[in-house]
């Protein structure tokens, strides 16, 4: 099976500009493509997974990836999917985030001479003369067409700043610049980015002629992709210091039944023949599929050893035996106890399971907290220090988050 057909069967492709040419180039390793990542945090999260695994698939077939870090566009902020304007970041914060991204991407793609490269659009966007830019690029964009784009339409009622209105021409200029300086002939991005990406393809053809082979592919991320990256209001990061390998494993282990096979097909590197056989699984077999998904993706991000540890800890937690030592654990100090006791709200905050006592109160009152399999029925519940010795207390938040608390 050729690569483009595989991408289609995995459900990754939403829409394209020049399908026959794209297929020929991808299948024969002739694509030099880019995917953009705005450095809005110091870690990538699982919402980036589809793009990262796609870059890996394409590179394995001989195509050349360009990871574009949006150090310049991050100074403005993408209005897509937003109901308000993004917070401004300093140049220092953006630079730090860019460095973090590269370290994480190296687990997926191989950088080096003749391989993948990483570029930062700050290198050209921050040097632009604004008058020259709007003469060269701005003249190629119709304001009427821009306002019809989804990324702008949803912001019109609450107000769209002129700052954000520049995002589409600037992102389009990225493709134009990469086409001219790096031979980049293809761009990938989420389906919700289609208008922004199409602007780049049209800019190249208007400036360099209709025969310029600049192509756009939109990935099917506006449904599944938006669901990824957050759970219980918190981002699921690729950085193990922000989301432990165990919590990462548990995130995938607890995906909805309706999404598990979609995730297996889109995100893992399991053969399609094996996935097709799994498609018929139902009931308890879906739990096996979820465990396969969780192990495969944890191994991809954190390595096979961490994936094995997380799997063993999860099995132990659900009665399968094994060692619970790899479960996320907080060590409490004597200073956190008053008269040898700690209240449930203080305990949740100390373990990072609630950002504040107010949120902890809400969780308990809504019946969302259990300790050693017993639901906590009152915010006045307290625990003796002696209960945290030995294996400690196992705290369950909601249906999916488990945490162990111990004393020094």
């Amino acid at each position: 099976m050729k690569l483009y057909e595989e991408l289609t069967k995995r459900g990754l492709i939403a829409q394209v500009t020049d399908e026959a040419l794209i297929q020929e180039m991808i299948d024969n390793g002739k694509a030099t493509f880019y995917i953009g990542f705005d450095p809005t945090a110091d870690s990538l999260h699982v919402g980036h997974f589809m793009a990262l695994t796609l870059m890996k698939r394409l590179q394995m077939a001989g195509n050349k990836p360009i990871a574009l870090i949006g150090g310049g566009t991050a100074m403005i902020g993408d209005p897509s999917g937003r109901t308000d304007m993004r917070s401004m970041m300093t140049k220092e914060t953006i630079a730090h985030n860019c460095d973090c991204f590269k370290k994480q991407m190296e687990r997926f793609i191989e950088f080096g001479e003749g391989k993948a490269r990483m570029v930062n659009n700050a290198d050209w966007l921050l040097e632009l003369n604004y008058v020259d830019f709007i003469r060269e690029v701005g003249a190629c964009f119709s304001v009427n067409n821009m306002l019809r784009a989804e990324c702008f339409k949803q912001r019109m009622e609450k107000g769209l700043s002129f700052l954000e209105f520049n995002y589409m021409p600037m992102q389009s200029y990225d493709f134009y610049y990469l086409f001219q300086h790096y031979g980049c002939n293809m761009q990938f991005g989420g389906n919700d980015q289609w208008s922004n990406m199409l602007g780049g393809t049209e800019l190249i053809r208007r400036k360099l002629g209709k025969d310029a082979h600049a192509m756009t592919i939109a990935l099917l991320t506006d449904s599944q992709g938006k669901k990824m990256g957050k759970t219980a209001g918190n981002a699921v990061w690729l950085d193990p210091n922000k989301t432990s390998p165990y919590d990462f494993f548990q995130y995938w282990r607890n995906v909805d039944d309706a999404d598990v096979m979609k995730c297996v097909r889109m995100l893992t590197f399991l053969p399609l023949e094996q996935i097709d056989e799994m498609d018929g699984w139902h009931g308890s077999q879906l739990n096996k599929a979820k465990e396969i998904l969780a192990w495969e993706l944890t191994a991809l991000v954190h390595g096979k050893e961490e994936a094995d540890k997380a799997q063993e800890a999860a099995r132990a937690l659900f009665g399968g035996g094994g060692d619970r030592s790899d479960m996320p654990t907080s060590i409490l100090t004597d200073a956190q106890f008053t008269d040898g006791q700690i209240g449930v709200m203080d305990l949740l905050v100390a373990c990072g399971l609630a950002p504040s006592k107010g949120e902890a109160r809400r969780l308990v009152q809504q019946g969302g907290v259990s300790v050693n399999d017993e639901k906590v029925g009152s915010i006045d519940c307290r625990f003796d220090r002696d209960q945290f010795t030995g294996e400690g207390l196992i705290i369950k938040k909601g249906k999916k988050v488990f945490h162990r608390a111990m004393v020094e």
Side-chain angles (χ1 to χ4, degrees), residues 36-298:
F37 301 82
D38 272 356
T40 53
D42 60 359
S43 173
L44 298 165
H45 56 70
V46 299
H48 296 111
F49 233 119
M50 196 174 295
L52 294 170
T53 56
L54 177 80
M55 294 175 86
K56 184 178 179 71
R57 293 184 207 278
L58 289 167
Q59 186 176 48
M60 290 169 62
N63 300 286
K64 294 181 180 179
I66 297 176
L68 173 65
I69 304 298
T73 41
M75 300 289 287
I76 293 178
D78 182 5
S80 300
R82 302 283 296 189
T83 57
D84 55 3
M85 194 169 79
R86 295 179 186 270
S87 300
M88 295 283 194
M89 295 188 297
T90 66
K91 292 181 181 180
E92 292 75 19
T93 298
I94 291 171
H96 171 72
N97 293 351
C98 290
D99 291 339
C100 295
F101 276 24
K102 184 173 183 181
K103 290 178 183 177
Q104 293 174 355
M105 287 180 180
E106 286 173 343
R107 293 199 66 93
F108 293 84
I109 55 179
E110 188 176 358
F111 292 94
E113 187 68 29
K115 298 174 183 176
R117 69 167 72 230
M118 176 174 283
V119 297
N120 187 335
N121 63 15
D123 293 341
W124 56 85
L125 291 180
L126 299 187
E127 300 299 321
L128 286 173
N129 177 289
Y130 187 69
V131 173
D132 290 342
F133 175 76
I134 58 175
R135 283 175 62 87
E136 181 181 6
V137 177
C140 298
F141 286 82
S142 162
V143 171
N144 290 344
N145 288 340
M146 290 175 69
L147 292 177
R148 283 193 288 267
E150 286 300 320
C151 61
F152 291 138
K153 281 170 62 177
Q154 59 187 338
R155 289 293 306 281
M156 292 304 293
E157 289 186 9
K158 289 193 174 182
L160 176 72
S161 71
F162 181 71
L163 175 72
E164 295 170 288
F165 199 60
N166 283 266
Y167 191 91
M168 182 187 289
M170 290 182 73
Q171 180 175 330
S172 299
Y173 186 81
D174 283 341
F175 193 15
Y176 178 58
Y177 184 94
L178 293 173
F179 184 90
Q180 290 185 297
H181 292 84
Y182 295 99
C184 179
N185 49 37
M186 201 173 295
Q187 62 176 332
F188 286 80
N191 199 26
D192 55 345
Q193 288 282 310
W194 180 251
S195 298
N196 286 345
M197 295 193 299
L198 200 58
T201 300
E202 293 303 316
L203 176 62
I204 291 171
R205 292 176 178 176
R206 288 194 63 173
K207 299 293 292 184
L208 303 177
K210 293 184 178 180
D211 293 331
H213 289 162
M215 291 147 283
T216 299
I217 300 180
L219 301 175
L220 192 61
T221 61
D222 53 346
S223 56
Q224 184 61 35
K226 285 180 180 178
K227 294 172 66 175
M228 295 177 186
K230 293 192 175 182
T231 181
N234 298 310
V236 178
W237 305 102
L238 305 194
D239 182 347
N241 295 314
K242 296 169 77 71
T243 298
S244 71
Y246 174 85
D247 285 333
F248 187 85
F249 181 96
Q250 284 295 92
Y251 171 79
W252 297 108
R253 175 62 180 78
N254 290 297
V255 297
D256 293 339
D257 288 356
D259 293 329
V260 58
M261 289 313 304
K262 185 186 298 183
C263 290
V264 169
R265 190 173 293 276
M266 287 181 166
L267 304 178
T268 75
F269 287 81
L270 295 174
L272 282 172
E273 294 81 7
Q274 180 181 347
I275 297 173
D276 288 341
E277 291 178 4
M278 294 168 63
D279 260 337
W281 290 3
H282 299 285
S284 62
Q285 287 181 308
L286 283 179
N287 288 328
K288 182 179 178 181
K290 291 179 183 182
E291 189 171 79
I292 291 171
L293 171 69
W295 190 93
E296 290 290 333
L297 298 188
T298 305

Side-chain angles (χ1 to χ4, degrees), residues 345 348-349 354-365 379:
M345 293 190 293
L348 292 172
V349 173
S356 66
K357 291 181 71 170
E359 176 63 17
R361 176 190 295 271
R362 184 189 66 80
L363 285 169
V364 173
Q365 290 175 335
I379 59 172

